[in-house]
Amino acid sequence: MAKQLQERILQAASELFYSQGIKATGVEAIVKMAGTNKMTLYNYFPSKDDLVVAFLRKRDEEFRSWLVGRVNDKASEPKHKLLAIFDVIGEWLDIPEFRGCAFINAAAEFPLEGNPVHQVSTEFYDNFRCYMSDLAKQCGITSADSLALQLSLLVEGAIVSEQMKRHSCVVEQAKLAARILIESHIGNK
C-alpha cells in the first residue's frame, strides 16, 4: 500500500513536471492530483528537489529502456542502430504529448552545474552518448566518442527544434546529417 502511494505521488509529479514545468508545479498540485497530503509526500520525498530527482531517474530508466528496445526492434547491425536512433526519436517527437526532453527542460530550469537536478540531467545525456559510442565502437570506429558527441548534438538539436516548432520534420534532416557523419567516420577508421 505504501509503495503504491509513493508511486502515485511520483506519477502525479511526473505528469505535472513534464506538462507544466518543474518550477511552475507546486507541491499542492501534486498532492491534489495524487489524492494525498503534503505530510505524506514529504514522508517519501523529503524535499521537492528529491521528488524532481526521483522523477528524472524514473524517466531515465523508462526512456532508455524504451529507446534501446525500439532501436533493437528496428535494426540488428550497429551502424543501422545508430541511424535507427533517429527513427525512434522521430516517433517520440510525433506523439501529441511531446513537450520536449524532460532532461533538457530540467537543466534549463536548474542551470547551476552543482544542482542535483542539473547533474541527473547531465548524467542522462552522458549515458546516451555512451550508448552511441558503444555502437560506434562495434562498427570499428576509432573516434567513437567524437562521433557519439556529434550524433547527440544532432538529436538534442532536433528535440529542441521540434519543441519550438511542432511537426517541423527536423529529425529527418538530423538523420541525413548523421548518415554523412557515420560514413565519414567509418571511412576514417
Side-chain angles (χ1 to χ4, degrees), residues 115-154:
N115 183 286
V117 173
H118 191 93
Q119 290 173 343
V120 172
S121 298
T122 300
E123 287 171 20
F124 172 81
Y125 275 100
D126 288 345
N127 290 332
F128 181 60
R129 287 183 195 109
C130 284
Y131 169 62
M132 290 191 293
S133 180
D134 288 344
L135 290 173
K137 287 174 187 169
Q138 291 172 38
C139 294
I141 295 171
T142 55
S143 55
D145 291 342
S146 177
L147 176 61
L149 177 59
Q150 293 165 1
L151 296 177
S152 180
L153 292 172
L154 289 172

PDB file of all heavy atoms in Angstrom, residues 115-154:
ATOM      1  N   ASN A 115      23.827  21.675  -8.997  1.00  0.00           N
ATOM      2  CA  ASN A 115      22.484  21.312  -8.552  1.00  0.00           C
ATOM      3  C   ASN A 115      22.199  19.849  -8.894  1.00  0.00           C
ATOM      4  O   ASN A 115      22.478  19.409 -10.011  1.00  0.00           O
ATOM      5  CB  ASN A 115      21.456  22.226  -9.236  1.00  0.00           C
ATOM      6  CG  ASN A 115      20.053  21.947  -8.766  1.00  0.00           C
ATOM      7  OD1 ASN A 115      19.462  20.946  -9.133  1.00  0.00           O
ATOM      8  ND2 ASN A 115      19.529  22.848  -7.951  1.00  0.00           N
ATOM      9  N   PRO A 116      21.641  19.076  -7.957  1.00  0.00           N
ATOM     10  CA  PRO A 116      21.356  17.653  -8.217  1.00  0.00           C
ATOM     11  C   PRO A 116      20.455  17.424  -9.437  1.00  0.00           C
ATOM     12  O   PRO A 116      20.631  16.451 -10.161  1.00  0.00           O
ATOM     13  CB  PRO A 116      20.673  17.171  -6.942  1.00  0.00           C
ATOM     14  CG  PRO A 116      21.082  18.136  -5.885  1.00  0.00           C
ATOM     15  CD  PRO A 116      21.316  19.445  -6.585  1.00  0.00           C
ATOM     16  N   VAL A 117      19.501  18.299  -9.668  1.00  0.00           N
ATOM     17  CA  VAL A 117      18.617  18.172 -10.832  1.00  0.00           C
ATOM     18  C   VAL A 117      19.428  18.318 -12.116  1.00  0.00           C
ATOM     19  O   VAL A 117      19.286  17.525 -13.058  1.00  0.00           O
ATOM     20  CB  VAL A 117      17.472  19.208 -10.768  1.00  0.00           C
ATOM     21  CG1 VAL A 117      16.650  19.203 -12.044  1.00  0.00           C
ATOM     22  CG2 VAL A 117      16.587  18.961  -9.546  1.00  0.00           C
ATOM     23  N   HIS A 118      20.294  19.294 -12.148  1.00  0.00           N
ATOM     24  CA  HIS A 118      21.161  19.510 -13.310  1.00  0.00           C
ATOM     25  C   HIS A 118      22.084  18.305 -13.508  1.00  0.00           C
ATOM     26  O   HIS A 118      22.294  17.851 -14.637  1.00  0.00           O
ATOM     27  CB  HIS A 118      21.971  20.793 -13.132  1.00  0.00           C
ATOM     28  CG  HIS A 118      22.671  21.224 -14.373  1.00  0.00           C
ATOM     29  ND1 HIS A 118      22.109  22.109 -15.270  1.00  0.00           N
ATOM     30  CD2 HIS A 118      23.877  20.875 -14.881  1.00  0.00           C
ATOM     31  CE1 HIS A 118      22.954  22.290 -16.265  1.00  0.00           C
ATOM     32  NE2 HIS A 118      24.027  21.553 -16.061  1.00  0.00           N
ATOM     33  N   GLN A 119      22.616  17.784 -12.420  1.00  0.00           N
ATOM     34  CA  GLN A 119      23.535  16.650 -12.502  1.00  0.00           C
ATOM     35  C   GLN A 119      22.855  15.404 -13.075  1.00  0.00           C
ATOM     36  O   GLN A 119      23.433  14.698 -13.897  1.00  0.00           O
ATOM     37  CB  GLN A 119      24.138  16.352 -11.129  1.00  0.00           C
ATOM     38  CG  GLN A 119      25.108  17.420 -10.682  1.00  0.00           C
ATOM     39  CD  GLN A 119      25.583  17.239  -9.243  1.00  0.00           C
ATOM     40  OE1 GLN A 119      24.974  16.514  -8.456  1.00  0.00           O
ATOM     41  NE2 GLN A 119      26.673  17.900  -8.914  1.00  0.00           N
ATOM     42  N   VAL A 120      21.621  15.135 -12.650  1.00  0.00           N
ATOM     43  CA  VAL A 120      20.890  13.978 -13.182  1.00  0.00           C
ATOM     44  C   VAL A 120      20.627  14.165 -14.673  1.00  0.00           C
ATOM     45  O   VAL A 120      20.725  13.221 -15.459  1.00  0.00           O
ATOM     46  CB  VAL A 120      19.572  13.743 -12.405  1.00  0.00           C
ATOM     47  CG1 VAL A 120      18.712  12.685 -13.072  1.00  0.00           C
ATOM     48  CG2 VAL A 120      19.862  13.337 -10.972  1.00  0.00           C
ATOM     49  N   SER A 121      20.315  15.380 -15.072  1.00  0.00           N
ATOM     50  CA  SER A 121      20.087  15.670 -16.490  1.00  0.00           C
ATOM     51  C   SER A 121      21.361  15.450 -17.303  1.00  0.00           C
ATOM     52  O   SER A 121      21.325  14.874 -18.393  1.00  0.00           O
ATOM     53  CB  SER A 121      19.594  17.112 -16.653  1.00  0.00           C
ATOM     54  OG  SER A 121      18.365  17.283 -15.988  1.00  0.00           O
ATOM     55  N   THR A 122      22.476  15.883 -16.762  1.00  0.00           N
ATOM     56  CA  THR A 122      23.771  15.685 -17.421  1.00  0.00           C
ATOM     57  C   THR A 122      24.095  14.196 -17.531  1.00  0.00           C
ATOM     58  O   THR A 122      24.567  13.732 -18.579  1.00  0.00           O
ATOM     59  CB  THR A 122      24.876  16.424 -16.650  1.00  0.00           C
ATOM     60  OG1 THR A 122      24.555  17.821 -16.621  1.00  0.00           O
ATOM     61  CG2 THR A 122      26.235  16.239 -17.290  1.00  0.00           C
ATOM     62  N   GLU A 123      23.834  13.451 -16.473  1.00  0.00           N
ATOM     63  CA  GLU A 123      24.087  12.002 -16.478  1.00  0.00           C
ATOM     64  C   GLU A 123      23.297  11.307 -17.581  1.00  0.00           C
ATOM     65  O   GLU A 123      23.802  10.392 -18.231  1.00  0.00           O
ATOM     66  CB  GLU A 123      23.708  11.380 -15.135  1.00  0.00           C
ATOM     67  CG  GLU A 123      24.649  11.691 -14.008  1.00  0.00           C
ATOM     68  CD  GLU A 123      24.101  11.224 -12.653  1.00  0.00           C
ATOM     69  OE1 GLU A 123      23.203  10.351 -12.610  1.00  0.00           O
ATOM     70  OE2 GLU A 123      24.572  11.756 -11.629  1.00  0.00           O
ATOM     71  N   PHE A 124      22.056  11.743 -17.775  1.00  0.00           N
ATOM     72  CA  PHE A 124      21.231  11.134 -18.821  1.00  0.00           C
ATOM     73  C   PHE A 124      21.922  11.259 -20.172  1.00  0.00           C
ATOM     74  O   PHE A 124      22.053  10.279 -20.919  1.00  0.00           O
ATOM     75  CB  PHE A 124      19.840  11.782 -18.882  1.00  0.00           C
ATOM     76  CG  PHE A 124      19.034  11.316 -20.059  1.00  0.00           C
ATOM     77  CD1 PHE A 124      18.367  10.109 -20.015  1.00  0.00           C
ATOM     78  CD2 PHE A 124      18.988  12.067 -21.230  1.00  0.00           C
ATOM     79  CE1 PHE A 124      17.633   9.651 -21.117  1.00  0.00           C
ATOM     80  CE2 PHE A 124      18.264  11.623 -22.338  1.00  0.00           C
ATOM     81  CZ  PHE A 124      17.583  10.414 -22.274  1.00  0.00           C
ATOM     82  N   TYR A 125      22.358  12.458 -20.519  1.00  0.00           N
ATOM     83  CA  TYR A 125      22.991  12.643 -21.828  1.00  0.00           C
ATOM     84  C   TYR A 125      24.378  12.009 -21.894  1.00  0.00           C
ATOM     85  O   TYR A 125      24.799  11.551 -22.958  1.00  0.00           O
ATOM     86  CB  TYR A 125      22.972  14.117 -22.258  1.00  0.00           C
ATOM     87  CG  TYR A 125      21.655  14.416 -22.925  1.00  0.00           C
ATOM     88  CD1 TYR A 125      20.636  15.048 -22.244  1.00  0.00           C
ATOM     89  CD2 TYR A 125      21.405  13.979 -24.219  1.00  0.00           C
ATOM     90  CE1 TYR A 125      19.404  15.268 -22.847  1.00  0.00           C
ATOM     91  CE2 TYR A 125      20.187  14.185 -24.834  1.00  0.00           C
ATOM     92  CZ  TYR A 125      19.187  14.829 -24.143  1.00  0.00           C
ATOM     93  OH  TYR A 125      17.964  15.024 -24.752  1.00  0.00           O
ATOM     94  N   ASP A 126      25.082  11.940 -20.777  1.00  0.00           N
ATOM     95  CA  ASP A 126      26.354  11.205 -20.761  1.00  0.00           C
ATOM     96  C   ASP A 126      26.106   9.730 -21.091  1.00  0.00           C
ATOM     97  O   ASP A 126      26.834   9.131 -21.886  1.00  0.00           O
ATOM     98  CB  ASP A 126      27.044  11.319 -19.395  1.00  0.00           C
ATOM     99  CG  ASP A 126      27.629  12.693 -19.136  1.00  0.00           C
ATOM    100  OD1 ASP A 126      27.764  13.496 -20.088  1.00  0.00           O
ATOM    101  OD2 ASP A 126      27.947  12.985 -17.956  1.00  0.00           O
ATOM    102  N   ASN A 127      25.076   9.152 -20.481  1.00  0.00           N
ATOM    103  CA  ASN A 127      24.740   7.745 -20.737  1.00  0.00           C
ATOM    104  C   ASN A 127      24.264   7.537 -22.177  1.00  0.00           C
ATOM    105  O   ASN A 127      24.583   6.523 -22.800  1.00  0.00           O
ATOM    106  CB  ASN A 127      23.673   7.250 -19.758  1.00  0.00           C
ATOM    107  CG  ASN A 127      24.220   7.131 -18.346  1.00  0.00           C
ATOM    108  OD1 ASN A 127      25.410   6.908 -18.152  1.00  0.00           O
ATOM    109  ND2 ASN A 127      23.357   7.279 -17.373  1.00  0.00           N
ATOM    110  N   PHE A 128      23.504   8.500 -22.700  1.00  0.00           N
ATOM    111  CA  PHE A 128      23.040   8.422 -24.078  1.00  0.00           C
ATOM    112  C   PHE A 128      24.230   8.426 -25.042  1.00  0.00           C
ATOM    113  O   PHE A 128      24.296   7.636 -25.978  1.00  0.00           O
ATOM    114  CB  PHE A 128      22.093   9.598 -24.359  1.00  0.00           C
ATOM    115  CG  PHE A 128      21.511   9.627 -25.746  1.00  0.00           C
ATOM    116  CD1 PHE A 128      20.729   8.586 -26.218  1.00  0.00           C
ATOM    117  CD2 PHE A 128      21.746  10.717 -26.575  1.00  0.00           C
ATOM    118  CE1 PHE A 128      20.185   8.618 -27.500  1.00  0.00           C
ATOM    119  CE2 PHE A 128      21.198  10.769 -27.849  1.00  0.00           C
ATOM    120  CZ  PHE A 128      20.419   9.713 -28.312  1.00  0.00           C
ATOM    121  N   ARG A 129      25.201   9.292 -24.770  1.00  0.00           N
ATOM    122  CA  ARG A 129      26.397   9.342 -25.613  1.00  0.00           C
ATOM    123  C   ARG A 129      27.210   8.055 -25.497  1.00  0.00           C
ATOM    124  O   ARG A 129      27.765   7.570 -26.493  1.00  0.00           O
ATOM    125  CB  ARG A 129      27.255  10.551 -25.256  1.00  0.00           C
ATOM    126  CG  ARG A 129      26.642  11.848 -25.729  1.00  0.00           C
ATOM    127  CD  ARG A 129      27.524  13.063 -25.451  1.00  0.00           C
ATOM    128  NE  ARG A 129      26.735  14.264 -25.608  1.00  0.00           N
ATOM    129  CZ  ARG A 129      26.350  15.043 -24.615  1.00  0.00           C
ATOM    130  NH1 ARG A 129      26.724  14.791 -23.378  1.00  0.00           N
ATOM    131  NH2 ARG A 129      25.608  16.107 -24.845  1.00  0.00           N
ATOM    132  N   CYS A 130      27.278   7.496 -24.299  1.00  0.00           N
ATOM    133  CA  CYS A 130      27.998   6.221 -24.120  1.00  0.00           C
ATOM    134  C   CYS A 130      27.344   5.103 -24.938  1.00  0.00           C
ATOM    135  O   CYS A 130      28.040   4.278 -25.533  1.00  0.00           O
ATOM    136  CB  CYS A 130      28.036   5.824 -22.645  1.00  0.00           C
ATOM    137  SG  CYS A 130      29.228   6.756 -21.684  1.00  0.00           S
ATOM    138  N   TYR A 131      26.016   5.084 -24.955  1.00  0.00           N
ATOM    139  CA  TYR A 131      25.283   4.093 -25.750  1.00  0.00           C
ATOM    140  C   TYR A 131      25.666   4.226 -27.226  1.00  0.00           C
ATOM    141  O   TYR A 131      25.982   3.238 -27.898  1.00  0.00           O
ATOM    142  CB  TYR A 131      23.779   4.296 -25.536  1.00  0.00           C
ATOM    143  CG  TYR A 131      22.886   3.534 -26.483  1.00  0.00           C
ATOM    144  CD1 TYR A 131      22.884   2.138 -26.517  1.00  0.00           C
ATOM    145  CD2 TYR A 131      22.032   4.213 -27.348  1.00  0.00           C
ATOM    146  CE1 TYR A 131      22.058   1.448 -27.387  1.00  0.00           C
ATOM    147  CE2 TYR A 131      21.198   3.523 -28.216  1.00  0.00           C
ATOM    148  CZ  TYR A 131      21.206   2.144 -28.232  1.00  0.00           C
ATOM    149  OH  TYR A 131      20.384   1.467 -29.088  1.00  0.00           O
ATOM    150  N   MET A 132      25.667   5.447 -27.732  1.00  0.00           N
ATOM    151  CA  MET A 132      26.018   5.661 -29.135  1.00  0.00           C
ATOM    152  C   MET A 132      27.495   5.373 -29.386  1.00  0.00           C
ATOM    153  O   MET A 132      27.855   4.825 -30.433  1.00  0.00           O
ATOM    154  CB  MET A 132      25.642   7.079 -29.571  1.00  0.00           C
ATOM    155  CG  MET A 132      24.139   7.262 -29.655  1.00  0.00           C
ATOM    156  SD  MET A 132      23.627   8.792 -30.444  1.00  0.00           S
ATOM    157  CE  MET A 132      24.184   9.984 -29.256  1.00  0.00           C
ATOM    158  N   SER A 133      28.340   5.720 -28.432  1.00  0.00           N
ATOM    159  CA  SER A 133      29.766   5.443 -28.569  1.00  0.00           C
ATOM    160  C   SER A 133      30.019   3.935 -28.629  1.00  0.00           C
ATOM    161  O   SER A 133      30.838   3.468 -29.431  1.00  0.00           O
ATOM    162  CB  SER A 133      30.537   6.072 -27.407  1.00  0.00           C
ATOM    163  OG  SER A 133      31.917   5.817 -27.538  1.00  0.00           O
ATOM    164  N   ASP A 134      29.325   3.182 -27.800  1.00  0.00           N
ATOM    165  CA  ASP A 134      29.467   1.718 -27.828  1.00  0.00           C
ATOM    166  C   ASP A 134      29.059   1.155 -29.192  1.00  0.00           C
ATOM    167  O   ASP A 134      29.733   0.270 -29.726  1.00  0.00           O
ATOM    168  CB  ASP A 134      28.629   1.070 -26.718  1.00  0.00           C
ATOM    169  CG  ASP A 134      29.199   1.304 -25.329  1.00  0.00           C
ATOM    170  OD1 ASP A 134      30.388   1.689 -25.220  1.00  0.00           O
ATOM    171  OD2 ASP A 134      28.454   1.102 -24.353  1.00  0.00           O
ATOM    172  N   LEU A 135      27.960   1.678 -29.742  1.00  0.00           N
ATOM    173  CA  LEU A 135      27.542   1.228 -31.074  1.00  0.00           C
ATOM    174  C   LEU A 135      28.596   1.589 -32.119  1.00  0.00           C
ATOM    175  O   LEU A 135      28.914   0.785 -33.001  1.00  0.00           O
ATOM    176  CB  LEU A 135      26.189   1.849 -31.447  1.00  0.00           C
ATOM    177  CG  LEU A 135      24.973   1.350 -30.677  1.00  0.00           C
ATOM    178  CD1 LEU A 135      23.727   2.166 -31.035  1.00  0.00           C
ATOM    179  CD2 LEU A 135      24.739  -0.139 -30.922  1.00  0.00           C
ATOM    180  N   ALA A 136      29.156   2.790 -32.013  1.00  0.00           N
ATOM    181  CA  ALA A 136      30.191   3.215 -32.960  1.00  0.00           C
ATOM    182  C   ALA A 136      31.432   2.341 -32.845  1.00  0.00           C
ATOM    183  O   ALA A 136      32.036   1.970 -33.856  1.00  0.00           O
ATOM    184  CB  ALA A 136      30.533   4.685 -32.737  1.00  0.00           C
ATOM    185  N   LYS A 137      31.807   1.992 -31.631  1.00  0.00           N
ATOM    186  CA  LYS A 137      32.965   1.100 -31.433  1.00  0.00           C
ATOM    187  C   LYS A 137      32.707  -0.257 -32.070  1.00  0.00           C
ATOM    188  O   LYS A 137      33.614  -0.868 -32.633  1.00  0.00           O
ATOM    189  CB  LYS A 137      33.268   0.949 -29.947  1.00  0.00           C
ATOM    190  CG  LYS A 137      33.894   2.177 -29.339  1.00  0.00           C
ATOM    191  CD  LYS A 137      34.037   2.049 -27.831  1.00  0.00           C
ATOM    192  CE  LYS A 137      34.500   3.370 -27.245  1.00  0.00           C
ATOM    193  NZ  LYS A 137      34.405   3.385 -25.771  1.00  0.00           N
ATOM    194  N   GLN A 138      31.459  -0.730 -31.987  1.00  0.00           N
ATOM    195  CA  GLN A 138      31.108  -2.010 -32.611  1.00  0.00           C
ATOM    196  C   GLN A 138      31.222  -1.938 -34.139  1.00  0.00           C
ATOM    197  O   GLN A 138      31.377  -2.963 -34.794  1.00  0.00           O
ATOM    198  CB  GLN A 138      29.698  -2.425 -32.206  1.00  0.00           C
ATOM    199  CG  GLN A 138      29.564  -2.808 -30.741  1.00  0.00           C
ATOM    200  CD  GLN A 138      28.120  -3.031 -30.339  1.00  0.00           C
ATOM    201  OE1 GLN A 138      27.330  -3.580 -31.108  1.00  0.00           O
ATOM    202  NE2 GLN A 138      27.755  -2.611 -29.129  1.00  0.00           N
ATOM    203  N   CYS A 139      31.158  -0.739 -34.675  1.00  0.00           N
ATOM    204  CA  CYS A 139      31.348  -0.526 -36.124  1.00  0.00           C
ATOM    205  C   CYS A 139      32.832  -0.450 -36.476  1.00  0.00           C
ATOM    206  O   CYS A 139      33.177  -0.330 -37.658  1.00  0.00           O
ATOM    207  CB  CYS A 139      30.679   0.778 -36.573  1.00  0.00           C
ATOM    208  SG  CYS A 139      28.895   0.807 -36.441  1.00  0.00           S
ATOM    209  N   GLY A 140      33.686  -0.452 -35.471  1.00  0.00           N
ATOM    210  CA  GLY A 140      35.124  -0.335 -35.704  1.00  0.00           C
ATOM    211  C   GLY A 140      35.610   1.090 -35.806  1.00  0.00           C
ATOM    212  O   GLY A 140      36.728   1.341 -36.255  1.00  0.00           O
ATOM    213  N   ILE A 141      34.796   2.036 -35.391  1.00  0.00           N
ATOM    214  CA  ILE A 141      35.162   3.448 -35.475  1.00  0.00           C
ATOM    215  C   ILE A 141      36.091   3.787 -34.311  1.00  0.00           C
ATOM    216  O   ILE A 141      35.741   3.579 -33.152  1.00  0.00           O
ATOM    217  CB  ILE A 141      33.899   4.339 -35.463  1.00  0.00           C
ATOM    218  CG1 ILE A 141      33.064   4.066 -36.719  1.00  0.00           C
ATOM    219  CG2 ILE A 141      34.268   5.813 -35.343  1.00  0.00           C
ATOM    220  CD1 ILE A 141      31.704   4.716 -36.721  1.00  0.00           C
ATOM    221  N   THR A 142      37.266   4.301 -34.624  1.00  0.00           N
ATOM    222  CA  THR A 142      38.238   4.608 -33.573  1.00  0.00           C
ATOM    223  C   THR A 142      37.906   5.909 -32.840  1.00  0.00           C
ATOM    224  O   THR A 142      38.258   6.074 -31.678  1.00  0.00           O
ATOM    225  CB  THR A 142      39.668   4.688 -34.149  1.00  0.00           C
ATOM    226  OG1 THR A 142      39.680   5.640 -35.211  1.00  0.00           O
ATOM    227  CG2 THR A 142      40.124   3.325 -34.655  1.00  0.00           C
ATOM    228  N   SER A 143      37.244   6.814 -33.516  1.00  0.00           N
ATOM    229  CA  SER A 143      36.861   8.080 -32.883  1.00  0.00           C
ATOM    230  C   SER A 143      35.390   8.020 -32.443  1.00  0.00           C
ATOM    231  O   SER A 143      34.617   8.944 -32.687  1.00  0.00           O
ATOM    232  CB  SER A 143      37.094   9.241 -33.854  1.00  0.00           C
ATOM    233  OG  SER A 143      36.402   8.994 -35.065  1.00  0.00           O
ATOM    234  N   ALA A 144      35.042   6.930 -31.777  1.00  0.00           N
ATOM    235  CA  ALA A 144      33.648   6.656 -31.406  1.00  0.00           C
ATOM    236  C   ALA A 144      33.068   7.724 -30.486  1.00  0.00           C
ATOM    237  O   ALA A 144      31.908   8.116 -30.637  1.00  0.00           O
ATOM    238  CB  ALA A 144      33.550   5.282 -30.756  1.00  0.00           C
ATOM    239  N   ASP A 145      33.863   8.197 -29.531  1.00  0.00           N
ATOM    240  CA  ASP A 145      33.358   9.218 -28.605  1.00  0.00           C
ATOM    241  C   ASP A 145      33.051  10.525 -29.334  1.00  0.00           C
ATOM    242  O   ASP A 145      32.062  11.190 -29.041  1.00  0.00           O
ATOM    243  CB  ASP A 145      34.354   9.479 -27.467  1.00  0.00           C
ATOM    244  CG  ASP A 145      34.465   8.307 -26.507  1.00  0.00           C
ATOM    245  OD1 ASP A 145      33.564   7.444 -26.493  1.00  0.00           O
ATOM    246  OD2 ASP A 145      35.455   8.264 -25.757  1.00  0.00           O
ATOM    247  N   SER A 146      33.887  10.866 -30.283  1.00  0.00           N
ATOM    248  CA  SER A 146      33.669  12.079 -31.076  1.00  0.00           C
ATOM    249  C   SER A 146      32.392  11.949 -31.909  1.00  0.00           C
ATOM    250  O   SER A 146      31.564  12.867 -31.948  1.00  0.00           O
ATOM    251  CB  SER A 146      34.878  12.328 -31.984  1.00  0.00           C
ATOM    252  OG  SER A 146      34.659  13.449 -32.801  1.00  0.00           O
ATOM    253  N   LEU A 147      32.217  10.811 -32.559  1.00  0.00           N
ATOM    254  CA  LEU A 147      31.004  10.594 -33.346  1.00  0.00           C
ATOM    255  C   LEU A 147      29.772  10.620 -32.453  1.00  0.00           C
ATOM    256  O   LEU A 147      28.760  11.231 -32.799  1.00  0.00           O
ATOM    257  CB  LEU A 147      31.077   9.268 -34.108  1.00  0.00           C
ATOM    258  CG  LEU A 147      29.809   8.899 -34.886  1.00  0.00           C
ATOM    259  CD1 LEU A 147      29.490   9.949 -35.946  1.00  0.00           C
ATOM    260  CD2 LEU A 147      29.946   7.511 -35.504  1.00  0.00           C
ATOM    261  N   ALA A 148      29.849   9.984 -31.288  1.00  0.00           N
ATOM    262  CA  ALA A 148      28.708   9.964 -30.364  1.00  0.00           C
ATOM    263  C   ALA A 148      28.322  11.376 -29.942  1.00  0.00           C
ATOM    264  O   ALA A 148      27.129  11.697 -29.863  1.00  0.00           O
ATOM    265  CB  ALA A 148      29.040   9.108 -29.145  1.00  0.00           C
ATOM    266  N   LEU A 149      29.301  12.216 -29.689  1.00  0.00           N
ATOM    267  CA  LEU A 149      29.013  13.599 -29.328  1.00  0.00           C
ATOM    268  C   LEU A 149      28.333  14.325 -30.485  1.00  0.00           C
ATOM    269  O   LEU A 149      27.337  15.033 -30.306  1.00  0.00           O
ATOM    270  CB  LEU A 149      30.288  14.331 -28.906  1.00  0.00           C
ATOM    271  CG  LEU A 149      30.132  15.813 -28.574  1.00  0.00           C
ATOM    272  CD1 LEU A 149      29.131  16.030 -27.441  1.00  0.00           C
ATOM    273  CD2 LEU A 149      31.482  16.422 -28.216  1.00  0.00           C
ATOM    274  N   GLN A 150      28.841  14.135 -31.677  1.00  0.00           N
ATOM    275  CA  GLN A 150      28.253  14.784 -32.847  1.00  0.00           C
ATOM    276  C   GLN A 150      26.812  14.322 -33.072  1.00  0.00           C
ATOM    277  O   GLN A 150      25.915  15.139 -33.326  1.00  0.00           O
ATOM    278  CB  GLN A 150      29.109  14.491 -34.089  1.00  0.00           C
ATOM    279  CG  GLN A 150      30.473  15.125 -34.036  1.00  0.00           C
ATOM    280  CD  GLN A 150      31.434  14.547 -35.057  1.00  0.00           C
ATOM    281  OE1 GLN A 150      31.087  13.665 -35.843  1.00  0.00           O
ATOM    282  NE2 GLN A 150      32.670  15.046 -35.053  1.00  0.00           N
ATOM    283  N   LEU A 151      26.566  13.022 -32.956  1.00  0.00           N
ATOM    284  CA  LEU A 151      25.216  12.491 -33.142  1.00  0.00           C
ATOM    285  C   LEU A 151      24.277  12.975 -32.037  1.00  0.00           C
ATOM    286  O   LEU A 151      23.113  13.292 -32.294  1.00  0.00           O
ATOM    287  CB  LEU A 151      25.244  10.963 -33.189  1.00  0.00           C
ATOM    288  CG  LEU A 151      25.994  10.340 -34.360  1.00  0.00           C
ATOM    289  CD1 LEU A 151      25.999   8.819 -34.243  1.00  0.00           C
ATOM    290  CD2 LEU A 151      25.427  10.788 -35.701  1.00  0.00           C
ATOM    291  N   SER A 152      24.794  13.037 -30.822  1.00  0.00           N
ATOM    292  CA  SER A 152      23.990  13.529 -29.701  1.00  0.00           C
ATOM    293  C   SER A 152      23.582  14.981 -29.926  1.00  0.00           C
ATOM    294  O   SER A 152      22.438  15.367 -29.641  1.00  0.00           O
ATOM    295  CB  SER A 152      24.769  13.392 -28.391  1.00  0.00           C
ATOM    296  OG  SER A 152      24.011  13.866 -27.309  1.00  0.00           O
ATOM    297  N   LEU A 153      24.496  15.776 -30.451  1.00  0.00           N
ATOM    298  CA  LEU A 153      24.166  17.174 -30.744  1.00  0.00           C
ATOM    299  C   LEU A 153      23.049  17.265 -31.787  1.00  0.00           C
ATOM    300  O   LEU A 153      22.162  18.116 -31.682  1.00  0.00           O
ATOM    301  CB  LEU A 153      25.402  17.927 -31.217  1.00  0.00           C
ATOM    302  CG  LEU A 153      26.486  18.143 -30.165  1.00  0.00           C
ATOM    303  CD1 LEU A 153      27.748  18.719 -30.801  1.00  0.00           C
ATOM    304  CD2 LEU A 153      25.990  19.041 -29.052  1.00  0.00           C
ATOM    305  N   LEU A 154      23.074  16.369 -32.755  1.00  0.00           N
ATOM    306  CA  LEU A 154      22.003  16.348 -33.753  1.00  0.00           C
ATOM    307  C   LEU A 154      20.666  15.978 -33.113  1.00  0.00           C
ATOM    308  O   LEU A 154      19.634  16.589 -33.407  1.00  0.00           O
ATOM    309  CB  LEU A 154      22.335  15.359 -34.875  1.00  0.00           C
ATOM    310  CG  LEU A 154      23.460  15.750 -35.821  1.00  0.00           C
ATOM    311  CD1 LEU A 154      23.796  14.594 -36.755  1.00  0.00           C
ATOM    312  CD2 LEU A 154      23.090  16.992 -36.620  1.00  0.00           C
TER     313      LEU A 154
END
